[in-house]
Amino acid sequence: MTARVALVTGGTGGIGTAICKRLHGAGYRVATNYRDEGRAREWQEHMRAAGCDVTLARGDVASAEQSEAMVRQVERDLGPVDILINNAGITRDTTFHRMRADQWREVIDTNLNSVFNVTRPVIEGMRERQWGRIVQISSINGQKGQYGQANYAAAKAGMHGFTISLAQENARFGITVNTVSPGYIGTDMVMAVPEAVREKIVAQIPTGRLGTPDEIAYAVAFFLPDEAAWITGANLSANGGQYMGW
Ligand code: CAA
Ligand code: NAP
């Protein structure tokens, strides 16, 4: 059988890069999107030098038109998408009483509407082929809320609502839909939090440290093999013990 095709959105970022590497290492053919071609080609070269071949397709996941064009490009280059990892995301942290409409909208468009934009063009093909894997990268802060993140927490909680509905609709078609909810991982997104605030957050993590992108990639890969066919609608927390709610 030819290797399955995995599309990882936001694959050039901290967690995305680790997911691309792990999925490539597991034998999947991997693609990701980009917005800035120069930066993406540089990243691709860097990955190639490390033995990891990732196909690039232009696309802003906040745009339905661009997301559909991106999926069609991946289909032309690699074949139908069997595995979709909805990973692209941003923060626009501020307390709600100061939040502007554009800060609300950008986060909802990039972190939640993106899930519609990218999943919609792949779902019919997965149903026809009777096999698919869809994983949302949500967040601990979608589970517990976070001071300064009303926009982000709303989007991330919404991602899991999407997961558990899509899981029900598509279980009979060999498609599983799951969520991974990472805690604080040492990427640019977390390093943008003021150091004093970050130190207080790390002090609340039982493992006493930030997580690594590889630790999230490991959790994502768990959902993908045929052996994981019975696991659908799950929300897998990978947060160093910071939040242990069900
Ligand atoms: N609980 C209670 N009070 C808090 C608080 C908290 N968690 N965080 C801040 N406060 C209080 C502060 O103690 C301060 O009180 P005083 O005025 O009495 O001193 C007040 O709120 C204002 O705090 P700041 O000085 O930090 O206010 P600010 O306006 O400069 O910044 C903020 C506010 C942008 C929310 C900033 O606190 C911040 O960046 N917080 C971190 C938010 C966060 O965790 N973001 C995660 C980004 S990474 C990510 O999103 C990945 C992921 O999924 C995990
Ligand atoms: P990151 O390093 O900032 O990477 C974000 C990636 O998303 C980048 O590749 C970025 O591409 C892409 N992206 C952003 N907006 C996009 C858009 N509109 N269209 C297409 N791509 C877009 O962040 P990260 O830490 O790896 O986070 C990855 C995911 O994990 C996010 O969904 C985040 O919310 C989630 N998460 C992170 C943590 C953490 O602690 N880091 C914890 C929980 C959940 P550009 O280079 O083009 O901007």
Side-chain angles (χ1 to χ4, degrees):
M1 194 178 82
T2 29
R4 288 187 163 124
V5 172
L7 170 58
V8 180
T9 69
T12 62
I15 292 175
T17 295
I19 296 174
C20 289
K21 281 187 182 158
R22 182 165 281 274
L23 299 200
H24 180 269
Y28 302 110
R29 287 177 295 151
V30 183
T32 190
N33 67 291
Y34 66 86
R35 296 184 292 172
D36 177 325
E37 180 155 14
R39 269 200 298 132
R41 296 282 169 214
E42 209 175 296
W43 174 87
Q44 189 183 40
E45 281 312 308
H46 192 73
M47 293 289 272
R48 266 199 196 127
C52 180
D53 192 21
V54 180
T55 296
L56 293 173
R58 179 184 293 282
D60 180 335
V61 298
S63 153
E65 293 73 23
Q66 288 194 36
S67 298
E68 169 146 29
M70 165 185 88
V71 167
R72 302 300 166 230
Q73 184 66 52
V74 173
E75 288 172 345
R76 280 193 295 278
D77 290 346
L78 294 182
V81 175
D82 303 302
I83 296 166
L84 171 61
I85 316 296
N86 280 310
N87 166 73
I90 58 167
T91 52
R92 295 286 182 269
D93 293 355
T94 181
T95 44
F96 184 70
H97 62 278
R98 291 206 186 93
M99 191 177 288
R100 299 186 311 266
D102 62 297
Q103 293 172 316
W104 174 266
R105 226 178 290 117
E106 280 173 32
V107 168
I108 300 296
D109 280 347
T110 307
N111 296 10
L112 182 59
N113 290 336
S114 59
V115 168
F116 172 84
N117 295 339
V118 185
T119 309
R120 188 65 187 82
V122 306
I123 193 72
E124 286 175 61
M126 287 180 178
R127 286 166 67 100
E128 277 160 23
R129 295 189 303 280
Q130 303 265 304
W131 200 93
R133 296 283 184 267
I134 300 172
V135 179
Q136 271 60 251
I137 307 300
S138 177
S139 165
I140 184 176
N141 292 344
Q143 298 171 297
K144 70 167 189 57
Q146 173 64 359
Y147 195 103
Q149 286 202 308
N151 48 2
Y152 184 87
K156 292 296 185 181
M159 289 177 98
H160 189 59
F162 172 83
T163 288
I164 55 187
S165 300
L166 212 67
Q168 292 177 37
E169 292 179 13
N170 291 285
R172 282 176 301 126
F173 297 89
I175 301 167
T176 70
V177 190
N178 292 289
T179 300
V180 172
S181 289
Y184 283 76
I185 310 303
T187 70
D188 293 349
M189 185 178 274
V190 165
M191 293 309 160
V193 174
E195 194 178 351
V197 177
R198 204 170 62 235
E199 278 172 6
K200 281 191 198 151
I201 292 169
V202 174
Q204 293 160 11
I205 306 176
T207 49
R209 64 169 175 87
L210 296 174
T212 67
D214 286 342
E215 288 169 325
I216 301 310
Y218 178 79
V220 170
F222 167 73
F223 288 116
L224 308 182
D226 285 337
E227 293 89 328
W230 191 245
I231 305 168
T232 193
N235 188 2
L236 178 53
S237 297
N239 62 31
Q242 191 186 350
Y243 180 74
M244 298 182 184
W246 288 14

